[in-house]
Amino acid sequence: MRALNKLTSAQVKSAGPGKYGDGGGLWLHKREDGGAQWFLRMTVHGRRREMGLGNLSAVSLKEAREAAERWRAVARSGKDPIKERQRLGREAERMDNTLRTVAEDAFEARKAELKGDGKAGRWFSPLELHVLPKLGKVPVEELDQQDIKNTLAPIWHEKADTARKAMNRLSIVFRHAAALGLDVDLQAIDKAKALLGKSRHKATNIPSLPWQVVPAFYQSLTEPTVTQLALRLLILTGVRSKPLRFMRLENVEGDIWTIPGEEMKGRLGQTADFRVPLSTEALAVIEMAKPHEREGYLFPSVRKGVISDATMARFMERKGMEERPHGFRSSLRTWLAEATDAPHEVAETVLGHVAGSAVERAYRRTDFLEQRRVLMERWVQVCLGRTGEVLAMVSS
């Protein structure tokens, strides 16, 4: 048998450019540019094979010898070491149980439950931004509460809502891993929460105008621009910004605007469309907005798509206001509570909220459309200042 272990560590370190044999087919190739690689020469099935074993900077002489013996044993068993390594690599990919791989698989499995199949990436972003950069390459079975705690500690108090979402997503990923048959600690999430303690972050509500002041602001919107018309319709209908900004004329029939179910938020997985009664003032605003229509959208942006929520918010900022567009929902809800006798479930339905228990909803087969229609006409009178209330002015 050919002599083995011919090289020494000193020779490996000091040798100049060239090829140096260690015996048994193991060679070190030092290049002119200073790089160096290990490779193994073998004869398999009558064919000469040459197999790379890594760079000298990453693989020591000892490690190269161990690898060479391992692959020589494969060759002695009648298998091609290069093909066997490729096969093992493919198996490793199939058995990739890193947190990133399992998280992506969990995301794919849940897409059908998410709005727009989760294409916007908002479901995955808390993991992508705050967890996977640190833990993505770690096998999910090796993760424990300390790993999770250390990863989320930097945002636990400063970005509490994001941290909460990241924890929620991790819990789903761990349950998905368990369903795949992986040995994960399903209690790791709760343990991590215990280690992190209660968040010191205090949630703040989106600033909103008192309902008594809304009329002054509404009446200040006198220009027929996309932004001002969008704000007017937002105030009149009480809907969220997104369905309003993506409003399409094809979804308006008579005095009813039907918002597709996937555009509704917070409806506990329900996909039913939501009908919005349009008051006489709302219909008038829509008529004024029609000349702006582009590609079916009533409120297009200057360049492409539809206006953003930030567009309306910046308009309010320029008027010296701290309040934001979403706050008009709070203004409307407070008016419903303080100035009307609307039942709770009707008032909640005005805002598109799900009211009542699951059993109550199962037996209640109405969306209170007619009751809401009356309320929204009354709200118009408030916005137009026809109720006799003394209203404070909004700075312009």
Side-chain angles (χ1 to χ4, degrees), residues 182-197:
L182 301 177
D183 184 18
V184 293
D185 181 4
L186 292 176
Q187 302 300 316
I189 307 300
D190 289 335
K191 294 174 185 175
K193 289 179 182 178
L195 291 174
L196 287 162

Side-chain angles (χ1 to χ4, degrees), residues 88-161:
L88 292 173
R90 289 192 296 270
E91 279 191 6
E93 289 180 359
R94 287 195 297 270
M95 296 297 290
D96 183 358
N97 295 330
T98 60
L99 178 62
R100 173 172 288 280
T101 299
V102 177
E104 289 174 348
D105 191 53
F107 179 41
E108 288 296 323
R110 287 182 60 85
K111 269 189 176 181
E113 305 173 28
L114 305 173
K115 294 180 182 179
D117 290 338
K119 291 176 183 176
R122 294 180 65 181
W123 189 93
F124 201 71
S125 60
L127 295 175
E128 186 71 74
L129 296 175
H130 301 288
V131 177
L132 297 181
K134 296 180 180 179
L135 301 178
K137 295 181 180 180
V138 180
V140 69
E141 294 173 295
E142 296 181 12
L143 290 171
D144 60 22
Q145 61 269 25
Q146 285 290 347
D147 297 317
I148 298 169
K149 178 250 185 184
N150 293 338
T151 298
L152 292 179
I155 65 169
W156 188 247
H157 300 294
E158 300 301 321
K159 298 180 179 179
D161 189 56

Side-chain angles (χ1 to χ4, degrees), residues 36-51:
Q37 290 83 33
W38 296 103
F39 66 93
L40 180 64
R41 285 176 177 166
M42 298 164 287
T43 300
V44 182
H45 302 149
R47 293 190 303 163
R48 180 174 171 174
R49 304 291 273 161
E50 196 168 282
M51 182 180 192

Side-chain angles (χ1 to χ4, degrees), residues 50-68:
E50 196 168 282
M51 182 180 192
L53 298 180
N55 295 327
L56 177 60
S57 59
V59 180
S60 67
L61 174 60
K62 179 182 178 182
E63 290 169 335
R65 285 171 175 168
E66 291 173 349

Side-chain angles (χ1 to χ4, degrees), residues 215 217-222 228-229 231-237 247 255 277-289 298-299 373 376-386:
F217 176 72
Y218 182 84
Q219 293 166 49
S220 74
L221 302 173
T222 57
Q228 292 197 33
L229 291 172
L231 277 168
R232 288 175 66 178
L233 196 59
L234 188 77
I235 293 169
L236 294 171
T237 59
M247 183 179 187
D255 61 357
L278 296 171
S279 62
T280 51
E281 178 75 0
L283 289 169
V285 171
I286 290 173
E287 284 298 317
M288 285 186 280
L298 200 61
F299 302 111
R373 190 191 305 279
M376 299 320 288
E377 287 291 353
R378 288 178 59 187
W379 177 237
V380 166
Q381 299 307 307
V382 173
C383 293
L384 295 178
R386 297 173 181 170

